[in-house]
Amino acid sequence: MKILVTGGAGYIGSVATEVLVEQGHDVLVFDNLQLGHREAVAEGAAFVQGDLANPADIESAIAGFKPEAVMHFAANSLVGESMTDPFKYLNDNVVNALNLLRAMDDHDVGKIIFSSTANLFADPEKMPIDEGERIVPGSPYGESKGIIERFLHWLSVTKGLRFACLRYFNAAGATEVHGEDHNPELHLIPIVLQVALGQRESVSIFGDDYPTPDGTCVRDYIHVRDLIDAHVLALKSLDEGNRTYNLGNGKGFSVLEVIEAARKITGHEIPVVMAPRRPGDPATLVASSERIREELGWDPKYAEIEQIIETAWAWHSKHPKGY
Ligand code: UFG
């Protein structure tokens, strides 16, 4: 298929591009390189530097490439940042998505795979969280994703758009060639590995008074490669109907458990410092992914946190300064 990947120079988009190219698809990466890296664009994919904030950029990319489907990764995705800069999220995640959706509509691109988030579930009634859970966004970031999810539904009703909303829990890990390189780095696993590499003195633990077994937040870490396998399955299945899935391993690990696993894998003591809670962080987020397992036969290969951290450690050790 001809697939346009927005944000294909970023962490998750770069792995998607790698996998799609590997599977023989014709891929065009569209990225403004604000957060992404040109070096992260998988070999074999075409690249255009463009900004979704500029409707003409995406319009001409779509008119020229004529994709059959879009995978839309380009977005801001920091819960904490969205609590201090909500307009950035309204603009980059909502207005820019509108520019993309309008260009797709103008050029009859009828399929989209949309990166959504577990931050839709700040106050879940049941754990693990399935797709029937009510949506209570935990932050402007979660809200921005929820708005687009709802709008995809309406574009499907009014225009026949086919969509998949994939709600990522905590994406982590790396392939042999693509890993996580944010600047500044704010995510737990890469920060812990930077400590192990001697690039930081310690890792701060944001809150140890949550209602969880050890007091630190519990998250469901999912390997980025498993995440992308779900995208490919969802794309293949769109002819049979729209899809909405929660994507995780169904198992939660606390911040302290992640650090302990990283100590074993890296052999480094990884000192910790207790810090206040980070605004917007729910105590526990664990996914039920039964629906995609049953409907599409999704079968994540990296179920253990150790396996996930090992792949991240291999990548960070090979790329201590990032790309
Ligand atoms: N944490 C620390 N210290 C740090 C960094 C993180 O204690 O230095 C804690 C956080 O408070 C949180 C956990 O580690 O409890 C994981 O934090 P991350 O920043 O790695 O990930 P988040 O859970 O905040 O967010 C990630 C994605 C979001 C997505 C969310 C869904 O970044 O886009 O998962 O669960 F919405």
Side-chain angles (χ1 to χ4, degrees), residues 77-79 117-119 141 168-170 186-188 191 203-206 217 219 221 255 278 281 285:
S77 62
L78 297 170
V79 171
T117 177
N119 196 258
Y141 164 60
Y168 310 164
F169 282 60
N170 287 58
L186 298 167
H187 293 97
L188 180 64
I191 285 181
V203 52
S204 299
I205 296 184
F206 298 144
C217 286
R219 294 286 181 274
Y221 294 87
V255 173
R278 188 174 64 176
D281 275 346
L285 288 173

Side-chain angles (χ1 to χ4, degrees), residues 113-131:
I113 309 292
F114 176 62
S115 303
S116 189
T117 177
N119 196 258
L120 296 179
F121 309 115
D123 187 22
E125 287 176 328
K126 269 199 329 223
M127 199 66 66
I129 301 169
D130 66 23
E131 292 80 1

Side-chain angles (χ1 to χ4, degrees), residues 77-189:
S77 62
L78 297 170
V79 171
E81 179 187 58
S82 80
M83 296 296 281
T84 53
D85 196 354
F87 285 116
K88 181 172 178 180
Y89 283 73
L90 192 55
N91 197 69
D92 294 4
N93 291 7
V94 179
V95 177
N96 290 359
L98 163 68
N99 292 340
L100 169 67
L101 291 167
R102 207 195 314 260
M104 287 174 63
D105 185 52
D106 286 347
H107 294 277
D108 298 319
V109 183
K111 291 180 179 164
I112 185 167
I113 309 292
F114 176 62
S115 303
S116 189
T117 177
N119 196 258
L120 296 179
F121 309 115
D123 187 22
E125 287 176 328
K126 269 199 329 223
M127 199 66 66
I129 301 169
D130 66 23
E131 292 80 1
E133 181 58 57
R134 70 205 164 115
I135 291 182
V136 181
S139 67
Y141 164 60
E143 190 75 48
S144 71
K145 293 289 182 175
I147 291 170
I148 299 303
E149 278 205 4
R150 286 306 301 158
F151 225 84
L152 291 175
H153 160 76
W154 286 113
L155 290 177
S156 179
V157 171
T158 57
K159 302 270 192 178
L161 180 69
R162 288 294 172 102
F163 68 84
C165 293
L166 303 181
R167 287 117 169 221
Y168 310 164
F169 282 60
N170 287 58
T175 66
E176 290 203 354
V177 278
H178 294 112
E180 201 165 356
D181 178 10
H182 299 111
N183 190 14
E185 189 51 75
L186 298 167
H187 293 97
L188 180 64
I189 292 177

Side-chain angles (χ1 to χ4, degrees), residues 1-6 58 62 67-73 100-101 104 109-114 162 164 235 238:
M1 275 179 97
K2 291 184 84 167
I3 304 170
L4 182 111
V5 177
T6 74
I58 185 64
I62 287 183
E68 298 159 77
V70 170
M71 287 195 185
H72 178 41
F73 297 95
L100 169 67
L101 291 167
M104 287 174 63
V109 183
K111 291 180 179 164
I112 185 167
I113 309 292
F114 176 62
R162 288 294 172 102
L235 179 59
L238 280 190

